[in-house]
Amino acid sequence: MEHSPSEVLSVFGDEAVDKEFADWLAQSFLELSEPELMASGRSGGRLVSAVLRDLRPGRRGGLRIIKLVPARSGTESEPHNHKAALSGAVPGNENFISGHLVELDDRTSRLGDYWVMIQYPAGDGTDAMTTLAGLPTRRLPALVEEVVKGVLGGWNPDPGTGTTKKGEAKGNDKPLSAAQFVAKVLTVSPTRVPRLREWLDPWWGPAGDSVWFSLEGSSRILPNPLALEEGSPLSRCPVRLALRGHAHGDLHPGNIVVPVRENTSPGQFWLVDLGQYGSDALLARDPAHLLMCLIADEFLPEMADRAREELLTALTDYDPDCTGPLIPQGLADTVTRVRRAMIDWGARHHFNPHWRYQWYLALQACALMVAARDRYSDADRWWFFRLAAEACGAYLRETTAEGPEDTVPAVRAPGPPAPTAPARGVPSREAGVPAAVAPSAGAGRSGAPGAADDPSPAGAAPAPGTGGPAGFADVLAEMWDVFAPVLGQLSATPLGQVKALTVEYVGRRATDFELTLGNPQLTMPDSAGAEEGREQVLERLRQVSDPAENLRALLVHPIRRMEALARMQGRPVELRALVQALGDLLHEVRRALKGL
């Protein structure tokens, strides 16, 4: 169907995609109006809120969320998995599915290089909604407890163990080893373990291959949580009752939507971004991953060393009560509620103590996930690595596994790298905290709205490598020009001077670049690491949208903004999270450019 430019409504900001989308709407007897681009989450894609009318007799329309997902490797399963989650009803979980999963229209379609998914808005339509990541910490304990109860008991009234049933031709007829359990959780992203080994190598050297280690200046011996190969201590421990069932697969605060109003029931929550859903997933993963994300983003950066030690002990203790006078009260309450919810669910099915032991394995795996994310400081990553080691040790103690027979190497904790002169205009990555780039007048080529009334800092992009086609390199260079000045502004600007328009701009541009880089037709250079570089930059882009939306929501909500300014001791977590995400992104862009 031919359209003149004036007839095609700009929905996604890409003329070719908008034209194809308009054709699809017409063929589907749908009419769309008032599109508004929204911040997208980690799963990628572009989200648009719009009014959708169904022109077929007897059909009703209304406000819908249209998600455009590049059909590249790793995302083609998102529409399928979302539908599978909605159709995965078994006796007893129908209310959870209908009441807590975002509904998906059945007209998902492939448009060229993209999938188009039509979702219903989260919630029941009565309240303004936000993600769990955008809430005051005082609301977290009750909400997180209800989420954990829901994803375990509500979604899985009759869990399985993944073993072969009599008469089946194939299946897992042996218990998982503890090493396989941890590896299954980690291999959602197969690069995590190599990234961790690469990070530790400057400090550990050959000791990184040891199964056991001790810390310099301490006689305490810990298992290496990365030792998962055959012959490692965990490989000799069979996991009885490795409980499986329906699971989100990427449960973090940005994927949980709740009403903004404080006087709503904690049971009012909706899960979004179901691209990693599984019907036969290890059930201990979702609660542990949600808790690790909350600790990493909401609590740990503000905790002193002694409080961190108390938390380390509490998380790996058999007693679920999180005690320690220096642990923030809200965090202690959240940890206790999560662990008790897990234990109570296991007790109802008589799965304890085997289910209780799986807490340590899930804790080990999910702590390693966080430790692998270089957007956090070395100190925070090391704390999570130690948590993984302590959790591994706790599991081995509970299962009466034998300790080391020989002398173990003493290793030192990662510290700040030796200072090096950064490239001109490139943000410093020392201790994981991006520094402001050198100031210059104007907003550069980015066109970004100012974060404050002061002149905006700008930085020059690193020179692309030579020898390859220009498409990929040009996109990376443009990303640098767009985000480096904004990062400099946000790094140096107090919350009271940050403008919501600037933050909204960041989210929109991140989505634009994600679609551009995710386009399978993008011209890529012949260099060996180019494709891996693209995937790494895409991963960082996905991690910009959530903190951008959380900060924007804080800035446009008068009461929340005033509360943040009143209680602020330093920069609020929403602003720090966005600065960190942008610094991580530019760090990855620089690495990709240098590899061309």
Side-chain angles (χ1 to χ4, degrees):
M1 184 181 298
E2 291 299 324
H3 302 273
S4 68
S6 60
E7 292 175 332
V8 177
L9 185 64
S10 177
V11 178
F12 302 111
D14 183 305
E15 185 176 339
V17 175
D18 285 339
K19 179 180 179 301
E20 196 165 358
F21 182 58
D23 289 343
W24 178 75
L25 288 172
Q27 294 165 6
S28 304
F29 294 95
L30 297 171
E31 185 179 86
L32 181 139
S33 61
E34 298 192 43
E36 180 181 8
L37 196 64
M38 303 170 59
S40 60
R42 295 180 186 175
S43 65
R46 180 176 299 197
L47 295 178
V48 172
S49 169
V51 175
L52 197 67
R53 291 182 59 224
D54 194 324
L55 303 180
R56 294 173 294 178
R59 301 296 186 99
R60 290 187 302 176
L63 190 66
R64 299 290 185 267
I65 308 298
I66 296 95
K67 187 169 186 177
L68 186 73
V69 185
R72 62 180 185 275
S73 174
T75 63
E76 293 180 327
S77 62
E78 182 170 352
H80 173 271
N81 286 349
H82 196 142
K83 290 179 181 178
L86 293 171
S87 60
V90 297
N93 75 357
E94 303 94 333
N95 289 339
F96 179 85
I97 291 175
S98 63
H100 296 288
L101 303 187
V102 172
E103 189 176 351
L104 182 67
D105 190 285
D106 60 2
R107 285 168 293 194
T108 297
S109 179
R110 176 75 177 262
L111 296 183
D113 296 326
Y114 301 93
W115 287 103
V116 171
M117 303 165 60
I118 299 177
Q119 303 175 11
Y120 287 77
D124 57 9
T126 61
D127 287 301
M129 308 297 290
T130 186
T131 66
L132 204 66
L135 289 180
T137 55
R138 63 180 175 273
R139 291 185 61 187
L140 292 178
L143 282 167
V144 173
E145 179 183 21
E146 289 303 314
V147 171
V148 171
K149 287 179 177 179
V151 298
L152 290 178
W155 215 350
N156 295 281
D158 186 23
T161 60
T163 54
T164 306
K165 296 178 183 177
K166 189 174 182 180
E168 289 182 350
K170 293 182 180 180
N172 176 23
D173 57 359
K174 293 190 220 177
L176 285 174
S177 72
Q180 290 171 325
F181 187 107
V182 174
K184 278 186 176 292
V185 176
L186 282 173
T187 50
V188 173
S189 174
T191 64
R192 282 179 179 138
V193 170
R195 292 205 309 268
L196 275 168
R197 292 189 184 278
E198 181 184 2
W199 172 62
L200 288 170
D201 186 65
W203 296 280
W204 284 30
D209 295 326
S210 176
V211 175
W212 301 87
F213 69 92
S214 65
L215 298 177
E216 284 185 351
S218 171
S219 60
R220 181 170 176 77
I221 296 176
L222 293 170
N224 184 346
L226 296 176
L228 304 174
E229 300 83 5
E230 192 67 30
S232 65
L234 288 183
S235 72
R236 296 190 289 268
C237 299
V239 179
R240 191 165 180 232
L241 302 179
L243 297 174
R244 298 172 179 269
H246 306 279
H248 185 282
D250 188 24
L251 194 64
H252 61 75
N255 280 342
I256 302 169
V257 178
V258 297
V260 172
R261 286 191 302 115
E262 293 205 24
N263 60 346
T264 55
S265 166
Q268 289 185 271
F269 66 87
W270 287 263
L271 305 184
V272 300
D273 282 351
L274 289 153
Q276 300 298 323
Y277 162 80
S279 61
D280 190 39
L282 292 167
L283 294 180
R285 180 194 190 279
D286 273 355
H289 186 256
L290 173 58
L291 188 58
M292 292 300 97
C293 291
L294 284 169
I295 291 173
D297 295 329
E298 300 291 340
F299 294 101
L300 195 67
E302 308 300 330
M303 293 174 65
D305 289 344
R306 289 178 59 192
R308 293 180 178 217
E309 292 300 314
E310 289 183 354
L311 181 59
L312 206 64
T313 300
L315 286 168
T316 55
D317 192 24
Y318 188 78
D319 187 341
D321 289 342
C322 182
T323 58
L326 300 179
I327 301 174
Q329 182 178 353
L331 174 57
D333 194 12
T334 302
V335 171
T336 300
R337 288 180 185 233
V338 167
R339 295 193 64 185
R340 286 200 172 277
M342 294 179 69
I343 292 170
D344 291 347
W345 176 76
R348 286 195 295 274
H349 295 278
H350 300 283
F351 288 142
N352 293 326
H354 306 287
W355 167 248
R356 289 189 70 162
Y357 298 158
Q358 291 171 44
W359 160 253
Y360 300 118
L361 297 179
L363 192 63
Q364 175 183 344
C366 294
L368 288 176
M369 287 185 200
V370 179
R373 297 167 185 164
D374 62 6
R375 66 177 178 269
Y376 298 114
S377 69
D378 280 338
D380 288 358
R381 295 176 71 185
W382 175 244
W383 185 89
F384 278 101
F385 186 85
R386 282 186 56 208
L387 174 59
E390 293 284 0
C392 181
Y395 180 84
L396 293 173
R397 288 194 302 273
E398 294 294 346
T399 54
T400 64
E402 296 181 0
E405 298 179 355
D406 302 321
T407 303
V408 303
V411 301
R412 68 186 182 93
T420 57
R424 178 177 176 266
V426 178
S428 167
R429 296 282 304 163
E430 184 176 355
V433 181
V437 289
S440 67
R445 293 191 301 167
S446 70
D453 294 329
D454 298 328
S456 60
T466 59
F472 180 46
D474 283 349
V475 174
L476 294 177
E478 184 183 359
M479 287 174 59
W480 189 278
D481 282 349
V482 166
F483 290 124
V486 181
L487 173 60
Q489 292 171 341
L490 295 177
S491 298
T493 304
L495 176 67
Q497 298 177 31
V498 176
K499 297 179 181 178
L501 185 61
T502 300
V503 180
E504 182 179 356
Y505 168 85
V506 169
R508 288 175 181 267
R509 291 312 309 267
T511 301
D512 291 342
F513 282 123
E514 187 177 344
L515 286 172
T516 301
L517 281 183
N519 189 333
Q521 297 181 359
L522 180 70
T523 302
M524 296 294 294
D526 296 330
S527 54
E531 193 58 46
E532 180 182 356
R534 171 159 73 168
E535 290 304 317
Q536 293 297 326
V537 173
L538 278 168
E539 177 67 20
R540 293 303 181 198
L541 278 168
R542 296 178 194 126
Q543 293 165 0
V544 168
S545 298
D546 278 351
E549 175 57 24
N550 293 337
L551 179 57
R552 189 199 67 81
L554 172 67
L555 295 173
V556 301
H557 196 292
I559 296 178
R560 287 186 58 205
R561 178 170 176 159
M562 285 191 296
E563 288 178 344
L565 290 170
R567 68 171 183 265
M568 193 167 60
Q569 297 178 353
R571 298 162 72 76
V573 64
E574 293 88 350
L575 180 54
R576 285 190 286 108
L578 181 56
V579 168
Q580 186 72 60
L582 287 173
D584 293 336
L585 172 61
L586 291 177
H587 173 64
E588 207 60 59
V589 168
R590 180 186 178 190
R591 286 179 56 183
L593 282 167
K594 288 175 67 176
L596 297 183

